[in-house]
Amino acid sequence: MSDLPNRSAAALPEEPTQASRFGKARTAQSGALLEDYVELISDLLSNGGEARPTDIARRLGVAHATAIKTIGRLKREGLAVAKPYRGVFLTQAGEDLAARVRARHRVVVDLLLAVGVPFESAESDAEGIEHHVSEATLAAFERYLAQG
């Protein structure tokens, strides 16, 4: 018999608890988009010295117009600047966010690998998980990994 609590499909959490959980998921989804962009821009700048909207769009699999719109949002939120004919660059706040996202990604990938997930699946799955994992869960992942 498992030590896990019985989770009946019919048992719903209290309304405020459930609303809070769904609210966190919506907020994470909104932030995930910006996080993906700053992480990619940082990687492009590190590897090629340039992050052009065309390259960003292709690597994220979105339309050029979509990339331009999101880059505009990054600029409004103080995470990036765009220079004519030179592409997109991250502000210090953007670089800091990219570093945090990259660190979370690495912890999630390492945990998935530790429990036997194949590398390609771990990398792919981490792209979604890294944006939604709480700090408490991430800390638990790190403690688990430190034991091994």
Side-chain angles (χ1 to χ4, degrees):
M1 188 92 196
S2 172
D3 289 336
L4 296 175
N6 183 4
R7 302 276 190 223
S8 170
L12 285 173
E14 294 294 319
E15 287 176 4
T17 301
Q18 192 169 29
S20 174
R21 290 175 186 164
F22 282 121
K24 286 179 186 177
R26 283 190 304 278
T27 299
Q29 287 171 331
S30 174
L33 178 68
L34 296 183
E35 290 175 353
D36 283 342
Y37 272 75
V38 296
E39 187 178 17
L40 176 61
I41 292 167
S42 178
D43 289 345
L44 288 170
L45 292 170
S46 295
N47 288 300
E50 188 172 50
R52 298 176 308 149
T54 300
D55 299 327
I56 294 167
R58 275 200 313 258
R59 289 192 172 266
L60 289 174
V62 300
H64 186 264
T66 300
I68 294 295
K69 179 181 173 186
T70 306
I71 291 165
R73 183 174 166 204
L74 291 173
K75 290 168 35 180
R76 286 190 303 279
E77 298 210 13
L79 298 170
V81 295
K83 298 181 181 178
Y85 309 106
R86 295 213 36 233
V88 182
F89 297 87
L90 295 177
T91 63
Q92 187 60 53
E95 283 292 348
D96 293 347
L97 178 58
R100 286 193 309 274
V101 171
R102 195 173 289 113
R104 276 198 328 251
H105 180 88
R106 195 76 264 137
V107 169
V108 172
V109 168
D110 289 348
L111 176 81
L112 293 173
L113 293 172
V115 298
V117 175
F119 179 79
E120 283 303 318
S121 293
E123 282 289 340
S124 178
D125 292 346
E127 282 301 325
I129 295 169
E130 71 191 29
H131 302 295
H132 300 277
V133 67
S134 70
E135 292 302 318
T137 299
L138 195 64
F141 288 177
E142 290 172 328
R143 284 191 305 276
Y144 175 83
L145 290 167
Q147 295 172 3

